[in-house]
Amino acid sequence: MSIKKQILKNNTVLITEPIATSKTVAIGFWFSVGSRYEAENQSGITHFVEHMIFKGTPTRTAYEIACSFDRIGGYVNAFTERELVCLHCVVPSQYAEFALEILTDMSQNALFLEKDVNKERSVIESEIISAEDDPEEACLDTVIDCIFPKNPISKNICGTTESVKNLTAADLKNWYTKYFAEGELLITVAGNFSEDLISSKIQGNPTRKEAKVFHQFEKVPVWEKGFHYAISDFQQEQILLLFPVKTPATKKEYFSFAILNALIGDTMSSRLFQSLRENCGFCYNVYSFFNFYADCGFWGAYSSCNKKDILDLTKALKNEIKLLLEKGISEEELQAAKEHLCGEEIITSEDVENRMKRLYRLYSFDFEMETIEETVNQIRSITKSDILAVLPKLLDLENKALVFYGPKINKLTKKEIENEFNK
């Protein structure tokens, strides 16, 4: 069934994808706020507010909110990123209106009682410490700070234990009112539900700030190329090769990037996995990925290894990039990567939560809404010449950044690494 996008009279953007054969429904409330919006003295406030929207409203306690979903076999959750917050749920189809009513209540009427704020502060401090103990998570936070230094986009999403201690209930309530209760709102719904009923329910809510697809920020991130060495107490060295990438202008460009990513490092049969792990045995973990934001983005190849293998691994990583640029890709690789992506689309289409989040992705890139089948056809239509056209945009050698996070590297090894990559 067709996907429908509409802007309601109260400025809420509603995107719906009815699936008649489904027995469930997924609903997502997307708010235009994240750690990038925060001033220095507000670090972690958005994530803190995300926690507090579960702590009750004038008509529902925190326990009643939890029971509402648990007792119907559904679930509710939320996450905070650098430029967005999502409150979402999945429930059996017959409870779609019931779930929508609760999410609306949480997003418009959350309480910020002092006692609840103080209890949750302790929970968040534990979450921050847990993240600091996770090598990969700590590394990726450090990486953002290396490539976009002194920019709000590189702020830690959870904040620090010190910044969280200084946030008051009044601070949180004001932030919530501005960005959640009265701010921009996009709602995505996928599954089996009544479009008219969902639309009329949302239409009855208060008017909000007019939603935008792309937001302009006062301080545009400036890419910091070169070599970055960050020392940590973790035993393994984590290595990332990164390139700046602009947000894709078209779906063809987006899917071409995705195909390249799949064949370089996003699968077990990819070049990096086969070379660095299977053939050389340098590492346990190796992959590649994209991150896109409103006005910047990057592609990265990640790996971790023992300190003794740092130089050999970085040489192998460089050689794979060199081979790709000099010899391109084979038709067999291209077809395998395309079918991998098509398979992912088909498999995730069975999950209404993934379909709900997919609607947001289409919106966030300002792409036309399309069905899973249309996406699969578009991926299969990408040609080798399309891939070669975006390859220089993905691997901009003049602006490469190489980040090392882990044990201290001696001067001689640093010099050898830099000489290798500067050839």
Side-chain angles (χ1 to χ4, degrees):
M1 299 175 73
S2 61
I3 298 170
K4 184 177 180 181
K5 173 185 169 185
Q6 52 187 316
I7 301 174
L8 304 179
K9 290 179 182 178
N10 60 5
N11 289 331
T12 300
V13 178
L14 174 62
I15 306 176
T16 53
E17 184 179 19
I19 306 167
T21 56
S22 178
K23 294 181 180 179
T24 58
V25 61
I27 305 171
F29 280 44
W30 304 83
F31 305 95
S32 297
V33 63
S35 55
R36 186 177 184 181
Y37 287 70
E38 301 164 359
E40 285 302 322
N41 64 345
Q42 298 171 317
S43 184
I45 192 170
T46 307
H47 175 255
F48 204 145
V49 167
E50 178 227 305
H51 276 236
M52 291 305 301
I53 60 179
F54 289 83
K55 299 306 169 187
T57 71
T59 57
R60 292 179 177 89
T61 65
Y63 180 68
E64 287 169 339
I65 290 173
C67 286
S68 296
F69 289 93
D70 288 348
R71 289 174 182 175
I72 60 173
Y75 62 88
V76 61
N77 209 339
F79 57 87
T80 301
E81 295 187 356
R82 298 181 193 278
E83 294 178 347
L84 67 88
V85 173
C86 178
L87 169 65
H88 60 97
C89 72
V90 177
V91 297
S93 294
Q94 65 266 36
Y95 295 106
E97 297 165 61
F98 173 70
L100 179 67
E101 181 185 325
I102 298 172
L103 295 190
T104 300
D105 193 23
M106 293 168 70
S107 64
Q108 292 179 180
N109 306 308
L111 296 173
F112 288 81
L113 302 179
E114 196 77 44
K115 63 181 180 66
D116 293 331
V117 168
N118 290 333
K119 280 191 291 186
E120 202 60 27
R121 193 191 315 278
S122 179
V123 172
I124 292 170
E125 287 172 353
S126 295
E127 184 181 353
I128 292 169
I129 294 167
S130 177
E132 289 172 349
D133 282 342
D134 184 311
E136 196 169 333
E137 195 164 341
C139 171
L140 293 174
D141 275 337
T142 302
V143 164
I144 297 286
D145 198 37
C146 289
I147 57 177
F148 295 125
K150 298 178 182 177
N151 189 281
I153 202 168
S154 64
K155 276 194 180 75
N156 188 296
I157 293 170
C158 294
T160 64
T161 52
E162 192 59 39
S163 68
V164 167
K165 280 178 185 174
N166 295 326
L167 295 172
T168 67
D171 294 332
L172 298 171
K173 177 68 174 179
N174 290 337
W175 194 260
Y176 168 83
T177 301
K178 181 177 180 180
Y179 289 108
F180 290 77
E182 298 175 359
E184 300 174 39
L185 176 62
L186 164 69
I187 298 177
T188 56
V189 188
N192 196 335
F193 59 94
S194 167
E195 284 188 277
D196 290 341
L197 218 50
I198 292 289
S199 178
S200 65
K201 287 275 187 185
I202 298 169
Q203 183 68 73
N205 295 335
T207 299
R208 293 173 162 275
K209 187 178 177 182
E210 189 175 341
K212 300 175 185 174
V213 177
F214 298 113
H215 293 81
Q216 290 186 332
F217 292 90
E218 188 176 328
K219 197 172 181 183
V220 177
V222 178
W223 180 262
E224 187 77 14
K225 64 180 182 180
F227 300 88
H228 307 269
Y229 303 94
I231 300 171
S232 79
D233 293 330
F234 297 117
Q235 295 183 52
Q236 286 212 314
E237 197 74 43
Q238 297 180 77
I239 302 164
L240 288 101
L241 176 61
L242 305 143
F243 298 92
V245 183
K246 291 183 179 178
T247 299
T250 64
K251 278 185 190 170
K252 177 178 276 191
E253 191 173 62
Y254 176 84
F255 289 130
S256 296
F257 280 150
I259 290 166
L260 265 174
N261 185 53
L263 69 87
I264 296 173
D266 191 38
T267 64
M268 286 178 65
S269 59
S270 66
R271 292 189 177 199
L272 293 182
F273 193 94
Q274 287 298 310
S275 174
L276 275 61
R277 175 175 163 149
E278 299 297 275
N279 296 337
C280 299
F282 290 142
C283 55
Y284 170 73
N285 204 5
V286 55
Y287 61 85
S288 62
F289 64 101
F290 280 107
N291 272 342
F292 289 114
Y293 304 104
D295 48 13
C296 64
F298 64 90
W299 175 84
Y302 169 95
S303 188
S304 58
C305 67
N306 294 327
K307 189 175 179 180
K308 65 180 179 64
D309 293 321
I310 293 171
L311 184 57
D312 288 334
L313 187 146
T314 51
K315 284 180 179 179
L317 178 58
K318 189 209 81 166
N319 287 337
E320 286 304 317
I321 300 300
K322 182 182 176 185
L323 279 172
L324 184 62
L325 288 168
E326 290 180 353
K327 297 189 176 182
I329 63 172
S330 69
E331 197 64 43
E332 183 183 1
E333 274 185 304
L334 173 60
Q335 293 305 318
K338 289 199 294 185
E339 286 309 307
H340 169 76
L341 293 178
C342 290
E344 282 189 329
E345 289 287 335
I346 293 166
I347 291 168
T348 57
S349 71
E350 299 288 324
D351 183 341
V352 290
E353 183 179 333
N354 274 306
R355 289 182 82 138
M356 177 273 291
K357 290 177 178 177
R358 176 179 176 273
L359 297 177
Y360 174 79
R361 285 198 303 274
L362 290 171
Y363 173 85
S364 68
F365 286 108
D366 201 23
F367 290 160
E368 185 180 333
M369 295 293 150
E370 66 180 13
T371 64
I372 299 287
E373 292 73 20
E374 288 170 329
T375 293
V376 167
N377 289 336
Q378 185 149 13
I379 292 170
R380 286 178 174 150
S381 73
I382 301 295
T383 65
K384 193 171 177 179
S385 59
D386 294 329
I387 298 295
L388 295 177
V390 301
L391 187 56
K393 295 180 182 179
L394 181 70
L395 302 176
D396 177 8
L397 295 182
E398 289 299 312
N399 286 301
K400 67 182 179 294
L402 199 62
V403 180
F404 295 85
Y405 180 80
K408 187 175 181 179
I409 302 173
N410 63 54
K411 289 183 179 179
L412 179 60
T413 303
K414 284 183 183 179
K415 186 176 180 180
E416 288 182 283
I417 289 169
E418 293 174 18
N419 286 340
E420 187 69 32
F421 269 89
N422 285 331
K423 286 179 183 176

